[in-house]
Amino acid sequence: AVVAVKVPSKEISESQREEFKQEVATMVSVSHPRLALFLGAWIPDDLNESVHIVMELLSGDLESILTKARRRL
């Protein structure tokens, strides 16, 4: 399977790390055929290390999909 690994472009604070953990908990509980599949996350204890999120890689992007939908209206 092809996956996407998302990594923040800069260090995140402890409060942002906690928000990230809450988002991961939400993604674990959500499953829908029209959403990218959440596969996992890595949240290191060391604040100097980046968090990572792994998701199914889908073709296209939301902006393109919405643009095509508007054209059909």
Side-chain angles (χ1 to χ4, degrees):
V2 179
V3 300
V5 179
K6 298 171 90 174
V7 181
S9 59
K10 61 180 182 173
E11 288 185 25
I12 61 174
S13 68
E14 182 62 32
S15 64
Q16 289 171 316
R17 186 175 294 266
E18 290 304 314
E19 287 177 28
F20 182 80
K21 287 179 183 179
Q22 291 173 353
E23 288 180 36
V24 167
T26 300
M27 287 187 281
V28 166
S29 66
V30 174
S31 177
H32 190 279
R34 295 195 178 260
L35 296 175
L37 178 63
F38 170 77
L39 299 171
W42 182 59
I43 307 168
D45 292 330
D46 185 347
L47 293 177
N48 294 319
E49 294 185 48
S50 293
V51 296
H52 294 70
I53 185 167
V54 181
M55 299 182 77
E56 169 187 27
L57 180 63
L58 301 175
S59 61
D61 61 86
L62 182 58
E63 182 179 8
S64 298
I65 293 168
L66 293 175
T67 300
K68 287 178 187 176
R70 272 186 282 204
R71 287 184 194 147
R72 284 188 248 146
L73 296 176

Coordinates of all heavy atoms in Angstrom, one line a residue:
A1 N 0.8 -1.2 0.0 CA 0.0 0.0 0.0 C 0.9 1.2 0.0 O 1.9 1.3 0.6 CB -0.9 0.0 1.2
V2 N 0.4 2.3 -0.7 CA 1.1 3.5 -0.7 C 0.6 4.4 0.5 O -0.6 4.5 0.7 CB 0.9 4.3 -2.0 CG1 1.6 5.6 -2.1 CG2 1.3 3.4 -3.2
V3 N 1.5 5.0 1.2 CA 1.1 5.8 2.4 C 1.7 7.2 2.3 O 2.7 7.4 1.6 CB 1.6 5.1 3.7 CG1 1.0 3.7 3.9 CG2 3.1 5.1 3.8
A4 N 1.1 8.1 3.1 CA 1.6 9.4 3.2 C 2.1 9.6 4.7 O 1.4 9.2 5.6 CB 0.5 10.4 2.9
V5 N 3.3 10.1 4.9 CA 3.8 10.4 6.2 C 3.8 11.9 6.4 O 4.5 12.6 5.6 CB 5.2 9.8 6.4 CG1 5.7 10.1 7.8 CG2 5.1 8.3 6.2
K6 N 3.1 12.4 7.3 CA 3.0 13.8 7.6 C 3.9 14.2 8.8 O 3.8 13.5 9.8 CB 1.6 14.3 7.8 CG 0.7 14.0 6.6 CD -0.8 14.3 7.0 CE -1.1 15.7 6.7 NZ -2.6 15.9 6.9
V7 N 4.8 15.1 8.6 CA 5.7 15.6 9.7 C 5.6 17.1 9.7 O 5.7 17.8 8.7 CB 7.1 15.1 9.4 CG1 8.1 15.6 10.5 CG2 7.2 13.6 9.1
P8 N 5.4 17.7 10.9 CA 5.4 19.2 11.0 C 6.7 19.8 10.4 O 7.7 19.2 10.6 CB 5.2 19.5 12.5 CG 5.0 18.2 13.1 CD 5.3 17.1 12.2
S9 N 6.5 21.0 9.9 CA 7.7 21.6 9.3 C 8.6 22.3 10.3 O 9.7 22.7 10.0 CB 7.3 22.7 8.3 OG 6.4 23.6 8.9
K10 N 8.1 22.4 11.6 CA 8.9 23.0 12.7 C 8.6 22.2 14.0 O 7.6 21.5 14.0 CB 8.6 24.5 12.8 CG 7.1 24.7 13.1 CD 6.8 26.2 13.2 CE 5.4 26.4 13.6 NZ 5.1 27.8 13.9
E11 N 9.4 22.5 15.0 CA 9.2 21.9 16.3 C 7.8 22.4 16.8 O 7.4 23.5 16.6 CB 10.3 22.3 17.3 CG 11.6 21.6 17.0 CD 12.6 21.9 18.0 OE1 12.2 22.2 19.2 OE2 13.8 21.8 17.7
I12 N 7.1 21.5 17.6 CA 5.9 21.9 18.2 C 6.0 22.0 19.7 O 6.8 21.3 20.3 CB 4.7 21.0 17.7 CG1 5.0 19.5 18.2 CG2 4.5 21.0 16.2 CD1 3.8 18.6 17.9
S13 N 5.2 22.8 20.3 CA 5.2 23.0 21.7 C 4.6 21.8 22.4 O 3.9 20.9 21.8 CB 4.5 24.2 22.1 OG 3.1 24.1 21.9
E14 N 4.7 21.7 23.7 CA 4.1 20.6 24.5 C 2.6 20.7 24.4 O 1.9 19.7 24.2 CB 4.5 20.7 26.0 CG 3.9 19.6 26.8 CD 4.3 18.2 26.4 OE1 5.5 18.0 26.0 OE2 3.5 17.3 26.6
S15 N 2.0 21.9 24.4 CA 0.5 22.0 24.2 C 0.1 21.6 22.8 O -1.0 20.9 22.7 CB 0.0 23.4 24.5 OG 0.6 24.3 23.6
Q16 N 0.9 21.9 21.8 CA 0.5 21.4 20.5 C 0.6 19.9 20.4 O -0.1 19.3 19.7 CB 1.5 22.1 19.4 CG 1.2 23.6 19.3 CD 2.2 24.2 18.4 OE1 3.4 24.0 18.6 NE2 1.8 25.1 17.5
R17 N 1.6 19.4 21.1 CA 1.8 17.9 21.1 C 0.6 17.2 21.7 O 0.1 16.2 21.3 CB 3.1 17.6 21.9 CG 3.5 16.1 21.9 CD 4.8 15.9 22.6 NE 5.9 16.6 21.8 CZ 6.7 16.0 20.9 NH1 6.5 14.7 20.7 NH2 7.6 16.7 20.3
E18 N 0.0 17.8 22.8 CA -1.2 17.3 23.4 C -2.4 17.4 22.5 O -3.2 16.5 22.4 CB -1.4 18.0 24.8 CG -0.4 17.7 25.9 CD -0.3 16.2 26.1 OE1 -1.3 15.5 26.2 OE2 0.8 15.7 26.2
E19 N -2.5 18.5 21.8 CA -3.6 18.6 20.8 C -3.4 17.6 19.7 O -4.4 17.0 19.3 CB -3.5 20.0 20.1 CG -4.0 21.1 21.0 CD -3.8 22.5 20.4 OE1 -3.9 22.6 19.1 OE2 -3.7 23.5 21.1
F20 N -2.2 17.3 19.3 CA -2.0 16.3 18.3 C -2.4 14.9 18.8 O -3.1 14.2 18.1 CB -0.5 16.3 17.9 CG -0.1 15.3 16.9 CD1 -0.3 15.6 15.5 CD2 0.4 14.0 17.2 CE1 0.0 14.7 14.5 CE2 0.8 13.1 16.2 CZ 0.6 13.5 14.9
K21 N -2.1 14.6 20.1 CA -2.5 13.3 20.7 C -4.1 13.2 20.6 O -4.6 12.1 20.4 CB -2.0 13.2 22.1 CG -0.5 13.0 22.2 CD -0.1 12.9 23.6 CE 1.4 12.7 23.8 NZ 1.8 12.6 25.2
Q22 N -4.8 14.3 20.9 CA -6.2 14.3 20.9 C -6.7 14.1 19.5 O -7.7 13.3 19.3 CB -6.8 15.6 21.5 CG -6.5 15.7 23.0 CD -7.0 17.1 23.5 OE1 -7.3 18.0 22.8 NE2 -6.9 17.2 24.8
E23 N -6.1 14.7 18.5 CA -6.5 14.5 17.1 C -6.3 13.1 16.7 O -7.1 12.5 16.0 CB -5.7 15.4 16.2 CG -6.1 16.9 16.3 CD -5.4 17.8 15.4 OE1 -5.0 17.4 14.3 OE2 -5.1 18.9 15.8
V24 N -5.2 12.5 17.1 CA -4.9 11.1 16.8 C -6.0 10.2 17.4 O -6.5 9.3 16.7 CB -3.5 10.7 17.2 CG1 -3.3 9.2 17.2 CG2 -2.4 11.3 16.4
A25 N -6.4 10.5 18.6 CA -7.4 9.7 19.3 C -8.7 9.8 18.5 O -9.4 8.8 18.3 CB -7.6 10.1 20.7
T26 N -9.0 10.9 18.0 CA -10.2 11.1 17.1 C -10.1 10.3 15.8 O -11.0 9.6 15.4 CB -10.5 12.6 16.8 OG1 -10.6 13.3 18.1 CG2 -11.7 12.8 16.0
M27 N -9.0 10.4 15.2 CA -8.8 9.7 13.9 C -8.9 8.2 14.0 O -9.4 7.5 13.2 CB -7.4 10.1 13.3 CG -7.4 11.5 12.7 SD -5.9 11.9 11.8 CE -4.8 12.2 13.2
V28 N -8.4 7.7 15.2 CA -8.5 6.3 15.4 C -10.0 5.8 15.4 O -10.3 4.7 15.0 CB -7.8 5.9 16.8 CG1 -8.2 4.5 17.2 CG2 -6.3 6.1 16.6
S29 N -10.8 6.7 15.9 CA -12.2 6.3 16.1 C -13.1 6.5 14.8 O -14.3 6.2 14.8 CB -12.8 7.0 17.3 OG -12.9 8.4 17.1
V30 N -12.5 7.2 13.8 CA -13.3 7.6 12.6 C -12.9 6.6 11.5 O -11.8 6.4 11.2 CB -13.0 9.0 12.2 CG1 -13.7 9.4 10.9 CG2 -13.5 10.0 13.3
S31 N -14.0 6.1 10.8 CA -13.7 5.2 9.7 C -14.9 5.5 8.7 O -16.0 5.4 9.0 CB -13.7 3.8 10.1 OG -13.6 3.0 8.9
H32 N -14.5 5.9 7.4 CA -15.5 6.1 6.4 C -14.9 5.9 5.1 O -13.7 6.2 4.9 CB -16.0 7.5 6.5 CG -17.2 7.8 5.7 ND1 -17.1 8.1 4.3 CD2 -18.5 7.8 6.0 CE1 -18.3 8.2 3.8 NE2 -19.2 8.1 4.8
P33 N -15.6 5.3 4.1 CA -15.0 5.0 2.8 C -14.5 6.2 2.0 O -13.6 6.1 1.2 CB -16.1 4.3 2.0 CG -17.2 4.0 3.0 CD -16.9 4.8 4.2
R34 N -15.0 7.4 2.4 CA -14.6 8.6 1.7 C -13.5 9.4 2.4 O -13.2 10.5 2.0 CB -15.8 9.5 1.4 CG -16.8 8.8 0.5 CD -17.8 9.9 0.0 NE -18.7 9.3 -0.9 CZ -18.7 9.4 -2.2 NH1 -17.7 10.0 -2.8 NH2 -19.5 8.8 -3.0
L35 N -13.0 8.8 3.5 CA -11.9 9.5 4.2 C -10.6 8.6 4.0 O -10.7 7.4 4.0 CB -12.2 9.6 5.7 CG -13.4 10.5 6.0 CD1 -13.7 10.4 7.5 CD2 -13.1 11.9 5.7
A36 N -9.5 9.3 4.0 CA -8.2 8.6 4.0 C -8.1 7.8 5.3 O -8.4 8.2 6.4 CB -7.0 9.6 3.9
L37 N -7.6 6.6 5.1 CA -7.4 5.6 6.2 C -6.3 6.0 7.1 O -5.2 6.2 6.6 CB -7.2 4.2 5.7 CG -7.0 3.1 6.7 CD1 -8.3 2.9 7.6 CD2 -6.7 1.8 6.0
F38 N -6.5 6.2 8.4 CA -5.5 6.5 9.4 C -4.8 5.2 9.7 O -5.4 4.2 10.1 CB -6.1 7.1 10.6 CG -5.1 7.2 11.8 CD1 -4.2 8.2 11.8 CD2 -5.2 6.3 12.8 CE1 -3.3 8.3 12.8 CE2 -4.3 6.4 13.9 CZ -3.3 7.4 13.9
L39 N -3.5 5.2 9.6 CA -2.7 3.9 9.8 C -1.9 3.9 11.1 O -1.7 2.9 11.7 CB -1.8 3.6 8.6 CG -2.5 3.5 7.3 CD1 -1.5 3.4 6.1 CD2 -3.4 2.2 7.3
G40 N -1.5 5.1 11.5 CA -0.8 5.2 12.8 C -0.1 6.5 13.0 O -0.1 7.4 12.1
A41 N 0.5 6.6 14.2 CA 1.2 7.9 14.5 C 2.3 7.5 15.4 O 2.3 6.5 16.2 CB 0.2 8.9 15.2
W42 N 3.3 8.4 15.4 CA 4.5 8.3 16.3 C 4.6 9.6 17.0 O 4.8 10.6 16.4 CB 5.7 7.9 15.5 CG 6.9 7.7 16.4 CD1 7.0 6.8 17.4 CD2 8.1 8.4 16.4 NE1 8.3 6.9 18.0 CE2 9.0 7.9 17.4 CE3 8.6 9.5 15.6 CZ2 10.2 8.4 17.7 CZ3 9.9 10.0 15.9 CH2 10.7 9.4 16.9
I43 N 4.5 9.5 18.4 CA 4.6 10.7 19.2 C 5.7 10.5 20.2 O 5.5 9.9 21.2 CB 3.3 11.1 19.9 CG1 2.1 11.1 18.8 CG2 3.4 12.4 20.6 CD1 0.8 11.1 19.4
P44 N 6.9 10.9 19.9 CA 8.1 10.6 20.8 C 8.0 11.5 22.1 O 7.4 12.6 22.1 CB 9.3 11.0 20.0 CG 8.8 12.0 19.0 CD 7.4 11.6 18.7
D45 N 8.5 11.0 23.2 CA 8.6 11.7 24.4 C 9.5 12.9 24.3 O 9.3 13.9 25.0 CB 9.0 10.8 25.6 CG 7.9 9.7 25.9 OD1 6.7 10.0 25.6 OD2 8.3 8.6 26.3
D46 N 10.5 12.8 23.5 CA 11.5 13.8 23.4 C 10.9 15.0 22.5 O 10.6 14.8 21.4 CB 12.8 13.3 22.7 CG 13.9 14.3 22.6 OD1 13.7 15.5 22.8 OD2 15.0 13.9 22.2
L47 N 10.8 16.2 23.1 CA 10.2 17.3 22.4 C 11.1 17.8 21.2 O 10.6 18.5 20.4 CB 10.0 18.5 23.4 CG 9.0 18.3 24.5 CD1 9.0 19.5 25.4 CD2 7.6 18.0 23.9
N48 N 12.3 17.3 21.2 CA 13.2 17.7 20.0 C 13.0 16.8 18.8 O 13.5 17.1 17.7 CB 14.6 17.7 20.4 CG 15.0 18.7 21.5 OD1 14.5 19.8 21.4 ND2 15.7 18.4 22.5
E49 N 12.2 15.7 19.0 CA 11.9 14.8 17.9 C 10.5 15.1 17.3 O 9.6 15.5 18.0 CB 12.0 13.4 18.3 CG 13.4 13.0 18.7 CD 13.4 11.5 19.1 OE1 12.9 10.7 18.3 OE2 14.0 11.1 20.1
S50 N 10.4 15.0 16.0 CA 9.1 15.3 15.3 C 8.1 14.2 15.5 O 8.4 13.0 15.6 CB 9.3 15.5 13.8 OG 10.1 16.6 13.6
V51 N 6.8 14.6 15.6 CA 5.7 13.7 15.6 C 5.5 13.3 14.1 O 5.8 14.0 13.2 CB 4.4 14.3 16.2 CG1 4.6 14.6 17.6 CG2 4.0 15.5 15.4
H52 N 4.9 12.1 13.9 CA 4.6 11.6 12.5 C 3.2 11.1 12.5 O 2.8 10.5 13.5 CB 5.6 10.5 12.1 CG 7.0 11.0 12.0 ND1 7.8 11.3 13.1 CD2 7.8 11.1 10.9 CE1 9.0 11.7 12.6 NE2 9.0 11.5 11.3
I53 N 2.6 11.2 11.4 CA 1.3 10.6 11.2 C 1.3 9.9 9.9 O 1.8 10.4 8.9 CB 0.1 11.6 11.3 CG1 -1.2 10.9 11.2 CG2 0.2 12.7 10.2 CD1 -2.4 11.8 11.6
V54 N 0.8 8.7 9.9 CA 0.8 7.8 8.6 C -0.6 7.6 8.2 O -1.4 7.1 9.0 CB 1.6 6.5 8.9 CG1 1.6 5.7 7.6 CG2 3.0 6.7 9.4
M55 N -0.9 7.9 7.0 CA -2.3 7.8 6.4 C -2.2 7.2 5.0 O -1.1 7.3 4.4 CB -3.0 9.1 6.4 CG -3.2 9.7 7.7 SD -4.1 11.3 7.6 CE -5.7 10.6 7.5
E56 N -3.3 6.6 4.6 CA -3.4 6.2 3.2 C -3.2 7.4 2.3 O -3.7 8.5 2.5 CB -4.8 5.6 3.0 CG -5.2 5.3 1.6 CD -6.7 4.9 1.6 OE1 -7.5 5.3 2.4 OE2 -7.0 4.1 0.6
L57 N -2.4 7.1 1.2 CA -2.2 8.2 0.2 C -3.3 8.1 -0.9 O -3.4 7.1 -1.5 CB -0.8 8.1 -0.4 CG -0.5 9.1 -1.5 CD1 -0.5 10.5 -0.8 CD2 0.9 8.8 -2.1
L58 N -4.0 9.1 -1.0 CA -5.1 9.2 -2.0 C -4.7 10.0 -3.2 O -3.8 10.9 -3.0 CB -6.4 9.8 -1.4 CG -6.9 9.0 -0.2 CD1 -8.1 9.8 0.4 CD2 -7.3 7.6 -0.5
S59 N -5.2 9.7 -4.3 CA -4.9 10.5 -5.5 C -5.8 11.8 -5.5 O -6.9 11.8 -5.0 CB -5.1 9.8 -6.8 OG -6.5 9.4 -6.9
G60 N -5.2 12.9 -5.9 CA -5.9 14.1 -5.9 C -5.8 14.9 -4.6 O -5.1 14.5 -3.7
D61 N -6.4 16.1 -4.6 CA -6.4 16.9 -3.4 C -7.8 17.5 -3.2 O -8.6 17.6 -4.2 CB -5.3 17.9 -3.4 CG -5.5 18.9 -4.6 OD1 -6.3 19.9 -4.4 OD2 -5.0 18.6 -5.7
L62 N -8.1 18.0 -2.0 CA -9.4 18.5 -1.7 C -9.8 19.7 -2.6 O -10.9 19.8 -3.1 CB -9.5 18.9 -0.3 CG -10.9 19.4 0.2 CD1 -12.0 18.4 0.0 CD2 -10.8 19.8 1.7
E63 N -8.9 20.6 -2.9 CA -9.1 21.7 -3.7 C -9.6 21.3 -5.1 O -10.6 21.8 -5.6 CB -7.9 22.6 -3.8 CG -8.2 23.9 -4.6 CD -6.9 24.8 -4.7 OE1 -5.9 24.4 -4.2 OE2 -7.1 25.9 -5.2
S64 N -8.9 20.4 -5.7 CA -9.3 19.9 -7.0 C -10.6 19.3 -7.1 O -11.4 19.5 -8.0 CB -8.2 18.9 -7.6 OG -7.0 19.5 -7.7
I65 N -10.9 18.5 -6.0 CA -12.2 17.8 -6.0 C -13.3 18.8 -5.8 O -14.4 18.7 -6.5 CB -12.2 16.8 -4.8 CG1 -11.3 15.7 -5.0 CG2 -13.7 16.3 -4.5 CD1 -11.0 14.8 -3.9
L66 N -13.2 19.8 -5.0 CA -14.2 20.9 -4.8 C -14.4 21.7 -6.1 O -15.5 22.1 -6.4 CB -13.8 21.8 -3.6 CG -13.9 21.1 -2.2 CD1 -13.4 22.0 -1.1 CD2 -15.3 20.5 -2.0
T67 N -13.3 22.0 -6.8 CA -13.3 22.8 -8.0 C -14.1 22.0 -9.0 O -15.0 22.6 -9.7 CB -11.9 23.1 -8.5 OG1 -11.2 23.8 -7.5 CG2 -12.0 23.9 -9.8
K68 N -13.9 20.7 -9.2 CA -14.6 19.9 -10.1 C -16.1 19.9 -9.8 O -17.0 19.9 -10.6 CB -14.1 18.5 -10.2 CG -12.7 18.4 -10.9 CD -12.2 16.9 -10.9 CE -10.8 16.8 -11.4 NZ -10.3 15.5 -11.3
A69 N -16.4 19.7 -8.5 CA -17.8 19.7 -8.0 C -18.5 21.0 -8.4 O -19.7 21.0 -8.8 CB -17.9 19.4 -6.5
R70 N -17.9 22.1 -8.2 CA -18.5 23.4 -8.5 C -18.8 23.6 -10.0 O -19.8 24.1 -10.4 CB -17.6 24.6 -8.0 CG -17.8 25.0 -6.6 CD -17.0 26.2 -6.3 NE -15.7 25.6 -6.1 CZ -14.7 26.2 -5.4 NH1 -14.9 27.4 -4.9 NH2 -13.6 25.7 -5.2
R71 N -17.9 23.0 -10.8 CA -18.1 23.1 -12.2 C -19.4 22.4 -12.7 O -20.0 22.7 -13.6 CB -16.9 22.6 -13.0 CG -15.7 23.5 -12.9 CD -14.6 22.9 -13.8 NE -13.3 23.6 -13.4 CZ -12.2 23.0 -13.5 NH1 -12.0 21.8 -13.8 NH2 -11.1 23.7 -13.2
R72 N -19.6 21.3 -12.0 CA -20.8 20.4 -12.3 C -22.1 21.1 -11.9 O -23.2 20.7 -12.4 CB -20.7 19.1 -11.7 CG -19.7 18.2 -12.4 CD -19.8 16.8 -11.8 NE -18.5 16.5 -11.2 CZ -18.3 15.8 -10.1 NH1 -19.3 15.2 -9.5 NH2 -17.1 15.7 -9.6
L73 N -22.0 22.0 -11.0 CA -23.3 22.7 -10.5 C -23.8 23.6 -11.5 O -23.9 24.3 -12.1 CB -23.1 23.3 -9.1 CG -22.7 22.4 -8.0 CD1 -22.4 23.2 -6.8 CD2 -23.9 21.4 -7.7

